[in-house]
Amino acid sequence: MTRIMVVNPNTTGAMTEVIGRCAQAAVGRGTVVEAVTPSMGPASIESHYDEALAVPGLLAEIARGEVEGAQGYVIACFGDPGLDAARELATGPVVGIAEAAMRTATYLGRGFSVVTTLGRTAGRARDLAEHYGVGRACLAVRACEIPVLELESPDATAAITEECRRAVVEDGADAVVLGCAGMAELCAKISAEIGVPVVDGVAAAARTVESLVALGLSTGARGEFARPPAKPYTGLLSDFQIR
């Protein structure tokens, strides 16, 4: 049996439940998903400040997973916060949902658009597309201007769907990537309405991690992603000291 830990880097438990359901539905019957919420951090991640302060709680969950035997990890926030640091800590593979979703979308057509929450996060999504080598395929990053914690309302679903429709008509997108873990359950509904594949990064990342574990593959532990060197950490970060 494969055990995957899916970490929601924000502290909103209701969102973690949605993320967990979507991740579990995406993997095979022999894989168990544990969706977890950090004990510290922001209620939602909508700025560079939020993202930076979400990382300690995220890394604490990765460290706990290492002790408890998790075989792989998903970082369930579209900014992929703390991804490189998590790869240094984990013995199994770690995949962020933005990377998984964007790479998956490139298998489905020549170009994709991202539909995200707030316009202020669009720059981060574009930077990630370039970083992951799929910038040419990323036709646009569209924002529906709905805060993360308001995504469950019917009005939000309608606005997200309409923005996805515009991505197809105006951008010529062959696929649409949903740019927030909180949108995970909307995939099938929106795809049926707009007529192109809609990619949820939670499902894509969970399945990717499951496949990497099955293949016996993990992050290379030489050089950049070797375990961090031991050194003192002080104050609020003293518990994060590598020993």
Side-chain angles (χ1 to χ4, degrees):
M1 182 173 291
T2 301
R3 182 183 169 203
I4 296 173
M5 177 179 279
V6 178
V7 186
N8 170 20
N10 74 41
T11 56
T12 299
M15 187 174 296
T16 304
E17 292 178 10
V18 171
I19 289 167
R21 286 196 300 271
C22 292
Q24 188 66 67
V27 298
R29 297 174 68 178
T31 299
V32 174
V33 169
E34 180 190 7
V36 300
T37 308
S39 62
M40 59 177 141
S44 62
I45 300 173
E46 297 170 310
S47 66
H48 295 296
Y49 186 81
D50 291 339
E51 186 171 300
L53 293 181
V55 173
L58 161 70
L59 295 180
E61 293 302 318
I62 300 289
R64 181 174 68 82
E66 288 296 285
V67 172
E68 297 180 358
Q71 294 165 275
Y73 303 86
V74 171
I75 296 178
C77 169
F78 203 77
D80 290 353
L83 177 58
D84 289 343
R87 285 174 171 164
E88 290 179 331
L89 284 185
T91 53
V94 186
V95 176
I97 65 169
E99 181 175 16
M102 290 180 185
R103 292 195 191 281
T104 298
T106 65
Y107 305 146
L108 306 176
R110 181 173 290 274
F112 66 88
S113 291
V114 176
V115 173
T116 190
T117 51
L118 302 181
R120 66 177 296 159
T121 67
R124 174 65 172 164
R126 284 203 168 277
D127 286 348
L128 288 176
E130 293 293 335
H131 178 66
Y132 296 140
V134 297
R136 183 175 177 180
C138 183
L139 303 175
V141 179
R142 293 174 163 271
C144 53
E145 297 301 345
I146 297 171
V148 170
L149 298 182
E150 297 178 14
L151 287 172
E152 292 188 359
S153 72
D155 287 347
T157 299
I160 295 164
T161 302
E162 182 56 31
E163 206 60 52
C164 291
R165 195 186 316 277
R166 288 184 184 132
V168 175
V169 174
E170 298 176 15
D171 307 337
D174 298 313
V176 175
V177 167
L178 297 182
C180 179
M183 299 177 180
E185 289 190 312
L186 302 178
C187 241
K189 180 178 184 298
I190 294 176
S191 182
E193 290 197 26
I194 68 174
V196 304
V198 177
V199 182
D200 157 40
V202 173
R207 195 70 172 188
T208 300
V209 170
E210 180 185 47
S211 298
L212 291 170
V213 172
L215 292 168
L217 298 174
S218 188
T219 309
R222 295 182 61 187
E224 179 181 353
F225 292 109
R227 190 164 177 79
K231 66 187 66 173
Y233 279 60
T234 58
L236 293 174
L237 296 178
S238 59
D239 289 342
F240 290 85
Q241 180 174 333
I242 302 294
R243 293 176 173 84

